[in-house]
Amino acid sequence: MKDKHRLSPLSFRQKLILTSIACLVIPAIGMLYITIVYSKLIIREHSLEKATQSLTIVQSQIDVIFEEMVSVSNFVHFDPEIKTLLEDAKTNPVAARSLTSRLEQVAGETLDLRITLVDKEGHAYSDYSFYDYDPRQFLKQRWFSTLEQLPPYDTLFMGAEDNYLTSLAAGQPFVFMTARALREGTASSPYAYLIVSRSEASIRERFASLEEDVYLLSDKETILSNRNPSLIGSNFNTLLPIDELVFPEIVEFKQENQLLLSLPLKYAKWRLISVAPYEQLTERLNGINRTGLLFQAVFAVSFLFALTYLLRRFTKPVLVLGKVARRVEDGDLAVRSGIRGADEIGSLGLSFDNMLDRVQLMLRQVETEQELKRQAEIAMLQAQINPHFLFNVLSSIRLKLLMKQDEENAFIVGSLSSMLRATLSNQDEFVSVAYELDSAKQYMELMRFTMRYPTDSEVRVNKELLLETLPRFILQPIIENAYKHGFIQGGGRITISIENLKSRLHISVEDNGTGMDEPTLALLLKQITQKDIELDRLNMAGPPEVQLSHGIGLINVYQRLKLIYGERFEMEIESLQGERTTVRLVLPLKRIGADGHEL
């Protein structure tokens, strides 16, 4: 009785109804919550966007200033005229004056750009007067010793250094400098030193028109430039004592909420930090009332999308079942829907997967039966002659021939006995390469005995491949064709080559017999292609039935290997009439264990 009062699982239709109701209620609740938090979000987004735009503009301007200083350094470094004048100026006053004029030309119209050259002997040249500053004093600066350790063509950046020109120090107390050791090659020692400077005011004036307060910091958080010159040289952490700065972030700074933003500069691992007044954007709150209706429309559309999403989610199992059915139709029986549940769709998915499991089981049974049938056919052929009786008779004949000292005929009978023993006694479908080659050699010895014309053979194989496995009796039919058709007008040589190319076994059987003309070769390839088409049809209709004729020919070898390896097997036939015929087989490398399974 209790089972009758239990709540039954919701049906597909009930799920849709409850979902529709939920999509009506939840957006209404979400609207109230979003209205509260939206005012904060819009202020933050607008402030961040504005501060980012302003800081990006300043970043590009300052990068241009530093890039100009680097460009001047590169020009002076690689200008052959300056290099020549620098050498001549040591002994020629005219060259020294020309070098100074050349430096003034390089500085151009940039008023605060100063260039200094100091050679190894202490001779100095600049575009400013030595009465303001003796450039040789640079040799005593604390940073000068580091120039020797700089990599070739690298530049040392120094910020917020005291202005070394006494006439300008009052209005421009700080300068930015770059220094470089001039070398003729990467391994040579410096022949001169180049110092390029610009006033800090050229950077500070970029901050003047901004609402945000911008700081240029070194990699050690030292303030290098700011609209307040008194802060230059101090540490930014003393102004904003926060253990770890996260950008962008809103912090309390100078008793106000400020938005912090940071952008890196292109040179010297320096960066810009913008402190934007967060409270100035509170007037945007008035826009919330005007955007209320817009948000109502947005939430209505969101509701439709949510409803569509949930409906698609609940009906997704039907879509999955359709895709799985199409893959099964294409031949992929390993696919499963994985759909489970207590409703109608879950029951359908479970039944569909169970049906595929049973189909796969039936196919495996059919394959097993086909394999057993093929092995039985081979066993039936082997059982046509009593092996022990035949071996005993051949052994007796060989013994009598040896007693009569007829060693040649005894050798032939022994080869025949060995070949028949291998043929009738071995029940394995796969044998080693060494075993297959021994069988082929014994067969060629017998054929050489029976042939009217003299024949010879050669085997080329890497010893490492002798333990690889392949189907038995695939070489004998190809060799038989060579003797029967290639050597009918004279003797010849058969060459067997086996090698490993790209993890595949390449087998080549070549004879230098009569060969085939193009029509005969085309007819043979057509017959093999026709057999290939028949095999494909059999594979589509069901398990193939292989009927071996009393003579195993080249086509039968192809058909057998195609059944075993499928698309992994390839065969090529080349023939030149009057010269040669070559048959090439390409098989996957395969080792067989004691249980007959692939290792």
Coordinates of all heavy atoms in Angstrom, one line a residue, residues 330-385:
D330 N 26.5 4.4 -39.8 CA 27.8 4.5 -40.5 C 28.7 3.4 -40.2 O 29.8 3.3 -40.8 CB 28.5 5.9 -40.2 CG 27.7 7.1 -40.8 OD1 26.9 6.8 -41.7 OD2 27.8 8.2 -40.2
G331 N 28.4 2.5 -39.3 CA 29.2 1.3 -39.0 C 29.9 1.4 -37.7 O 30.6 0.4 -37.4
D332 N 29.7 2.4 -36.9 CA 30.4 2.5 -35.6 C 29.5 1.9 -34.5 O 28.7 2.5 -34.0 CB 30.7 4.0 -35.2 CG 31.5 4.1 -34.0 OD1 31.9 3.1 -33.4 OD2 31.7 5.3 -33.5
L333 N 29.8 0.6 -34.2 CA 29.0 -0.1 -33.3 C 29.6 0.0 -31.8 O 29.0 -0.5 -30.9 CB 29.0 -1.6 -33.6 CG 28.3 -1.9 -35.0 CD1 28.3 -3.4 -35.2 CD2 26.8 -1.4 -35.0
A334 N 30.7 0.7 -31.7 CA 31.3 0.9 -30.3 C 30.7 2.1 -29.6 O 30.9 2.3 -28.4 CB 32.8 1.0 -30.4
V335 N 30.0 2.9 -30.3 CA 29.4 4.1 -29.7 C 28.3 3.8 -28.8 O 27.5 2.8 -29.0 CB 29.0 5.1 -30.8 CG1 27.8 4.6 -31.6 CG2 28.6 6.5 -30.2
R336 N 28.1 4.6 -27.7 CA 27.0 4.4 -26.7 C 26.4 5.7 -26.4 O 27.1 6.7 -26.3 CB 27.4 3.6 -25.5 CG 27.9 2.2 -25.7 CD 26.8 1.3 -26.1 NE 27.3 -0.1 -26.3 CZ 27.8 -0.6 -27.4 NH1 27.9 0.2 -28.4 NH2 28.2 -1.8 -27.4
S337 N 25.1 5.8 -26.1 CA 24.5 7.0 -25.8 C 24.8 7.5 -24.4 O 25.0 8.7 -24.1 CB 23.0 6.9 -26.0 OG 22.4 6.1 -25.1
G338 N 24.9 6.5 -23.4 CA 25.1 6.9 -22.0 C 24.0 7.6 -21.4 O 24.1 8.1 -20.3
I339 N 22.8 7.6 -22.0 CA 21.6 8.2 -21.4 C 21.0 7.3 -20.4 O 20.6 6.2 -20.7 CB 20.6 8.6 -22.6 CG1 21.3 9.6 -23.5 CG2 19.4 9.2 -22.0 CD1 20.5 9.8 -24.8
R340 N 20.8 7.8 -19.2 CA 20.1 7.1 -18.1 C 19.1 8.0 -17.4 O 19.3 9.2 -17.4 CB 21.1 6.5 -17.1 CG 22.2 5.6 -17.8 CD 21.6 4.3 -18.3 NE 22.6 3.4 -18.8 CZ 23.0 3.4 -20.0 NH1 22.4 4.2 -20.9 NH2 23.9 2.5 -20.4
G341 N 18.2 7.4 -16.8 CA 17.2 8.2 -16.0 C 15.9 7.4 -15.8 O 15.7 6.3 -16.4
A342 N 15.1 8.0 -14.9 CA 13.8 7.3 -14.6 C 12.7 7.7 -15.5 O 11.6 7.1 -15.4 CB 13.4 7.6 -13.2
D343 N 12.9 8.6 -16.4 CA 11.8 9.0 -17.3 C 11.8 8.2 -18.6 O 12.6 7.3 -18.8 CB 11.8 10.5 -17.6 CG 13.2 10.9 -18.2 OD1 14.0 10.1 -18.6 OD2 13.4 12.2 -18.3
E344 N 11.0 8.6 -19.6 CA 10.9 7.8 -20.8 C 12.2 7.9 -21.6 O 12.6 6.9 -22.2 CB 9.7 8.4 -21.7 CG 8.3 8.3 -21.0 CD 8.0 9.5 -20.1 OE1 9.0 10.2 -19.8 OE2 6.9 9.6 -19.7
I345 N 12.8 9.1 -21.7 CA 14.1 9.2 -22.5 C 15.2 8.3 -21.9 O 15.9 7.7 -22.6 CB 14.5 10.7 -22.6 CG1 13.4 11.5 -23.1 CG2 15.7 10.8 -23.4 CD1 13.0 11.1 -24.5
G346 N 15.3 8.3 -20.6 CA 16.3 7.5 -19.9 C 16.1 6.0 -20.2 O 17.0 5.2 -20.5
S347 N 14.8 5.5 -20.2 CA 14.5 4.1 -20.5 C 14.9 3.8 -22.0 O 15.4 2.7 -22.3 CB 13.1 3.9 -20.2 OG 12.7 2.5 -20.6
L348 N 14.6 4.8 -22.9 CA 14.9 4.5 -24.3 C 16.4 4.5 -24.5 O 16.9 3.6 -25.2 CB 14.3 5.7 -25.1 CG 14.6 5.6 -26.6 CD1 14.0 4.4 -27.2 CD2 14.0 6.9 -27.3
G349 N 17.2 5.3 -23.8 CA 18.6 5.3 -24.0 C 19.2 4.0 -23.5 O 20.1 3.4 -24.1
L350 N 18.7 3.5 -22.3 CA 19.2 2.2 -21.8 C 18.9 1.1 -22.7 O 19.8 0.2 -23.0 CB 18.6 2.0 -20.4 CG 18.9 0.7 -19.7 CD1 20.5 0.6 -19.5 CD2 18.2 0.5 -18.4
S351 N 17.7 1.0 -23.3 CA 17.3 -0.1 -24.2 C 18.2 0.0 -25.5 O 18.6 -1.0 -26.0 CB 15.8 0.1 -24.5 OG 15.1 0.0 -23.4
F352 N 18.4 1.2 -25.9 CA 19.2 1.4 -27.2 C 20.7 0.9 -26.9 O 21.2 0.1 -27.8 CB 19.2 2.8 -27.6 CG 19.9 3.1 -28.9 CD1 19.1 2.9 -30.1 CD2 21.2 3.5 -29.0 CE1 19.7 3.2 -31.3 CE2 21.7 3.8 -30.2 CZ 21.0 3.6 -31.4
D353 N 21.3 1.2 -25.8 CA 22.6 0.7 -25.5 C 22.7 -0.8 -25.3 O 23.6 -1.4 -25.8 CB 23.2 1.4 -24.3 CG 23.4 2.9 -24.5 OD1 23.4 3.3 -25.6 OD2 23.6 3.6 -23.5
N354 N 21.7 -1.3 -24.7 CA 21.6 -2.8 -24.5 C 21.5 -3.5 -25.8 O 22.1 -4.6 -26.1 CB 20.5 -3.2 -23.6 CG 20.7 -2.8 -22.2 OD1 21.9 -2.6 -21.7 ND2 19.6 -2.6 -21.4
M355 N 20.8 -2.9 -26.8 CA 20.6 -3.5 -28.1 C 22.0 -3.5 -28.8 O 22.4 -4.5 -29.5 CB 19.6 -2.7 -28.9 CG 19.4 -3.2 -30.3 SD 18.4 -2.1 -31.3 CE 19.5 -0.7 -31.4
L356 N 22.8 -2.4 -28.7 CA 24.1 -2.4 -29.4 C 25.0 -3.4 -28.7 O 25.9 -4.0 -29.4 CB 24.6 -1.0 -29.2 CG 23.9 0.1 -30.1 CD1 24.6 1.5 -29.8 CD2 24.0 -0.2 -31.5
D357 N 24.9 -3.6 -27.4 CA 25.8 -4.6 -26.8 C 25.5 -6.0 -27.3 O 26.4 -6.7 -27.6 CB 25.5 -4.6 -25.2 CG 26.1 -3.3 -24.6 OD1 26.9 -2.7 -25.2 OD2 25.6 -3.0 -23.5
R358 N 24.2 -6.3 -27.5 CA 23.9 -7.6 -28.0 C 24.3 -7.8 -29.5 O 24.8 -8.8 -29.9 CB 22.4 -7.8 -27.9 CG 21.9 -8.1 -26.5 CD 20.5 -8.6 -26.5 NE 19.5 -7.6 -26.9 CZ 18.9 -6.7 -26.1 NH1 19.2 -6.7 -24.8 NH2 18.1 -5.9 -26.6
V359 N 24.2 -6.7 -30.3 CA 24.7 -6.8 -31.7 C 26.2 -7.0 -31.7 O 26.7 -7.8 -32.5 CB 24.3 -5.5 -32.4 CG1 25.0 -5.4 -33.8 CG2 22.8 -5.4 -32.6
Q360 N 27.0 -6.3 -30.9 CA 28.4 -6.5 -30.9 C 28.8 -7.9 -30.5 O 29.7 -8.5 -31.0 CB 29.1 -5.5 -30.0 CG 29.4 -4.2 -30.6 CD 30.4 -3.4 -29.8 OE1 30.3 -3.3 -28.6 NE2 31.4 -2.9 -30.5
L361 N 28.0 -8.5 -29.5 CA 28.3 -9.8 -29.0 C 28.0 -10.8 -30.2 O 28.8 -11.8 -30.4 CB 27.4 -10.2 -27.8 CG 27.5 -11.6 -27.3 CD1 28.9 -11.8 -26.8 CD2 26.5 -11.8 -26.1
M362 N 27.0 -10.6 -30.9 CA 26.7 -11.5 -32.0 C 27.8 -11.4 -33.1 O 28.2 -12.4 -33.7 CB 25.3 -11.2 -32.6 CG 24.1 -11.4 -31.7 SD 22.6 -10.8 -32.4 CE 22.5 -11.8 -33.9
L363 N 28.3 -10.2 -33.4 CA 29.3 -10.1 -34.4 C 30.6 -10.8 -33.9 O 31.3 -11.4 -34.8 CB 29.6 -8.6 -34.6 CG 28.5 -7.8 -35.4 CD1 28.9 -6.4 -35.5 CD2 28.3 -8.4 -36.8
R364 N 30.9 -10.7 -32.6 CA 32.1 -11.4 -32.2 C 32.0 -12.9 -32.3 O 32.9 -13.6 -32.6 CB 32.4 -11.0 -30.7 CG 33.0 -9.6 -30.5 CD 33.6 -9.4 -29.2 NE 32.6 -9.4 -28.2 CZ 31.9 -8.3 -27.7 NH1 32.3 -7.1 -28.2 NH2 31.0 -8.4 -26.8
Q365 N 30.8 -13.4 -32.0 CA 30.5 -14.8 -32.2 C 30.7 -15.3 -33.6 O 31.3 -16.3 -33.9 CB 29.1 -15.2 -31.7 CG 28.9 -15.0 -30.2 CD 27.5 -15.2 -29.7 OE1 26.6 -15.3 -30.6 NE2 27.3 -15.3 -28.4
V366 N 30.2 -14.4 -34.6 CA 30.4 -14.8 -36.0 C 31.8 -14.8 -36.4 O 32.3 -15.7 -37.1 CB 29.5 -13.8 -36.8 CG1 29.9 -14.0 -38.3 CG2 28.1 -14.0 -36.6
E367 N 32.6 -13.8 -35.9 CA 34.0 -13.7 -36.2 C 34.8 -15.0 -35.7 O 35.6 -15.5 -36.3 CB 34.6 -12.5 -35.7 CG 34.2 -11.2 -36.4 CD 34.7 -9.9 -35.7 OE1 35.3 -10.1 -34.7 OE2 34.4 -8.8 -36.2
T368 N 34.4 -15.3 -34.5 CA 35.0 -16.5 -33.9 C 34.7 -17.8 -34.7 O 35.6 -18.6 -34.9 CB 34.5 -16.7 -32.4 OG1 34.8 -15.5 -31.7 CG2 35.2 -17.9 -31.8
E369 N 33.5 -17.9 -35.1 CA 33.1 -19.1 -35.9 C 33.8 -19.1 -37.2 O 34.2 -20.1 -37.7 CB 31.6 -19.1 -36.1 CG 30.8 -19.3 -34.8 CD 29.3 -19.1 -35.1 OE1 28.9 -18.8 -36.2 OE2 28.5 -19.3 -34.1
Q370 N 34.0 -17.9 -37.8 CA 34.7 -17.8 -39.1 C 36.1 -18.2 -39.0 O 36.7 -18.9 -39.8 CB 34.6 -16.4 -39.7 CG 35.1 -16.2 -41.1 CD 34.4 -17.0 -42.1 OE1 33.2 -17.3 -41.9 NE2 35.0 -17.3 -43.2
E371 N 36.8 -17.8 -37.9 CA 38.2 -18.1 -37.6 C 38.3 -19.6 -37.4 O 39.3 -20.2 -38.0 CB 38.7 -17.4 -36.4 CG 40.1 -17.6 -36.1 CD 41.1 -17.2 -37.1 OE1 40.7 -16.3 -37.9 OE2 42.2 -17.7 -37.2
L372 N 37.4 -20.2 -36.7 CA 37.5 -21.7 -36.5 C 37.3 -22.4 -37.8 O 37.9 -23.4 -38.0 CB 36.4 -22.1 -35.5 CG 36.6 -21.5 -34.0 CD1 35.4 -21.9 -33.1 CD2 37.9 -22.1 -33.5
K373 N 36.4 -21.9 -38.6 CA 36.1 -22.5 -39.9 C 37.4 -22.5 -40.8 O 37.7 -23.5 -41.5 CB 35.0 -21.8 -40.6 CG 34.6 -22.4 -42.0 CD 33.5 -21.6 -42.6 CE 33.2 -22.2 -44.0 NZ 32.1 -21.4 -44.6
R374 N 38.1 -21.3 -40.8 CA 39.3 -21.2 -41.6 C 40.4 -22.2 -41.1 O 41.1 -22.8 -41.9 CB 39.8 -19.8 -41.6 CG 41.0 -19.5 -42.5 CD 41.3 -18.1 -42.6 NE 41.6 -17.5 -41.3 CZ 41.9 -16.2 -41.1 NH1 41.8 -15.4 -42.1 NH2 42.1 -15.8 -39.9
Q375 N 40.5 -22.3 -39.8 CA 41.5 -23.2 -39.3 C 41.2 -24.6 -39.6 O 42.0 -25.5 -39.8 CB 41.7 -23.0 -37.8 CG 42.2 -21.6 -37.4 CD 42.3 -21.4 -35.9 OE1 42.0 -22.3 -35.1 NE2 42.8 -20.3 -35.5
A376 N 39.8 -24.9 -39.6 CA 39.4 -26.3 -39.9 C 39.7 -26.6 -41.3 O 40.1 -27.8 -41.6 CB 37.9 -26.4 -39.6
E377 N 39.6 -25.7 -42.2 CA 39.9 -26.0 -43.6 C 41.3 -26.3 -43.9 O 41.7 -27.2 -44.6 CB 39.4 -24.8 -44.5 CG 37.9 -24.6 -44.6 CD 37.5 -23.3 -45.3 OE1 38.4 -22.5 -45.5 OE2 36.4 -23.2 -45.7
I378 N 42.2 -25.5 -43.2 CA 43.6 -25.8 -43.3 C 44.0 -27.2 -42.7 O 44.7 -27.9 -43.3 CB 44.4 -24.7 -42.5 CG1 44.2 -23.4 -43.2 CG2 45.9 -25.1 -42.5 CD1 44.9 -22.2 -42.5
A379 N 43.3 -27.5 -41.6 CA 43.6 -28.8 -41.0 C 43.1 -29.9 -41.9 O 43.7 -31.0 -42.0 CB 42.9 -28.9 -39.6
M380 N 42.0 -29.7 -42.6 CA 41.4 -30.7 -43.5 C 42.4 -30.9 -44.6 O 42.6 -32.1 -45.1 CB 40.1 -30.2 -44.0 CG 39.4 -31.2 -44.9 SD 37.8 -30.6 -45.5 CE 38.4 -29.2 -46.5
L381 N 43.0 -29.9 -45.2 CA 43.9 -30.1 -46.3 C 45.2 -30.8 -45.8 O 45.7 -31.7 -46.5 CB 44.3 -28.7 -46.8 CG 43.2 -27.9 -47.6 CD1 43.7 -26.6 -48.0 CD2 42.8 -28.7 -48.8
Q382 N 45.6 -30.5 -44.6 CA 46.8 -31.2 -44.1 C 46.5 -32.6 -43.8 O 47.4 -33.5 -43.8 CB 47.3 -30.5 -42.8 CG 47.8 -29.1 -43.1 CD 48.1 -28.4 -41.8 OE1 47.7 -28.8 -40.7 NE2 48.9 -27.3 -41.9
A383 N 45.3 -33.0 -43.5 CA 45.0 -34.3 -43.1 C 44.7 -35.2 -44.3 O 44.3 -36.4 -44.1 CB 43.7 -34.3 -42.2
Q384 N 44.8 -34.7 -45.5 CA 44.5 -35.5 -46.7 C 45.6 -36.7 -46.9 O 45.3 -37.7 -47.5 CB 44.5 -34.7 -47.9 CG 43.3 -33.7 -48.0 CD 43.3 -32.8 -49.2 OE1 44.3 -32.9 -50.0 NE2 42.3 -32.1 -49.4
I385 N 46.7 -36.5 -46.3 CA 47.8 -37.6 -46.4 C 48.2 -37.9 -45.0 O 48.4 -37.0 -44.2 CB 49.0 -37.1 -47.3 CG1 48.5 -36.7 -48.7 CG2 50.1 -38.1 -47.3 CD1 49.6 -36.2 -49.6

